[in-house]
Amino acid sequence: MKGRQQTARGTGETGTMVKTLLWGTGGGALLMLILLCICAAVMTVQDFNVTVLRIIALATLGLGGFGSGFLAAKLRRKNGMLMGALSGAALMVILVLLSLIFFGFHFGGQLITKVAIGVLAGALGGVLGVNHRKKHH
């Protein structure tokens, strides 16, 4: 039980996984915040129609989920798809809760699509993150 032993602080395999998910989710949220700030800055000088704004929002959502999964899996170094999907799902839960608080809850096809994009992008980021190696020159 080498990997499952608990330390004096009480963190074992589950504690490490939760911590990794928190870092991944936080990283994905930070990436989304940076991307949205860049988009806001661009929109101060350029007008976009509603369709373009929706595409930008979905791309930002996907990139945030991807970044979340990539970071979580890179830190964990195993179970990339699972870690990525869980991290993407955690990010989507946070976004749905914020949406509920500020805009009210509207369940529908758009919500399902957005959650699916976040979770699938997280899973893809997880697969790439767990397989990403530093290049030695």
Side-chain angles (χ1 to χ4, degrees), residues 1 22 101:
M1 296 193 106
L22 289 174
I101 291 168

Side-chain angles (χ1 to χ4, degrees), residues 43 78 102:
M43 287 190 292
K78 62 181 179 179
F102 292 107

Side-chain angles (χ1 to χ4, degrees), residues 8-44:
R9 296 179 127 184
T11 57
E13 188 77 16
T14 304
T16 304
M17 187 170 147
V18 170
K19 190 169 24 171
T20 302
L21 284 173
L22 289 174
W23 275 106
T25 303
L30 181 62
L31 176 61
M32 285 183 71
L33 179 64
I34 291 167
L35 292 172
L36 288 172
C37 287
I38 292 169
C39 291
V42 170
M43 287 190 292
T44 61

Side-chain angles (χ1 to χ4, degrees), residues 29-93:
L30 181 62
L31 176 61
M32 285 183 71
L33 179 64
I34 291 167
L35 292 172
L36 288 172
C37 287
I38 292 169
C39 291
V42 170
M43 287 190 292
T44 61
V45 294
Q46 176 69 41
D47 289 332
F48 294 105
N49 66 31
V50 175
T51 304
V52 173
L53 291 176
R54 286 185 179 148
I55 292 169
I56 290 171
L58 289 176
T60 302
L61 182 73
L63 289 170
F66 180 88
S68 175
F70 186 91
L71 181 58
K74 184 143 182 73
L75 293 171
R76 181 80 172 154
R77 294 189 209 117
K78 62 181 179 179
N79 305 110
M81 187 179 289
L82 175 64
M83 291 303 296
L86 288 174
S87 187
L91 184 60
M92 295 304 103
V93 167

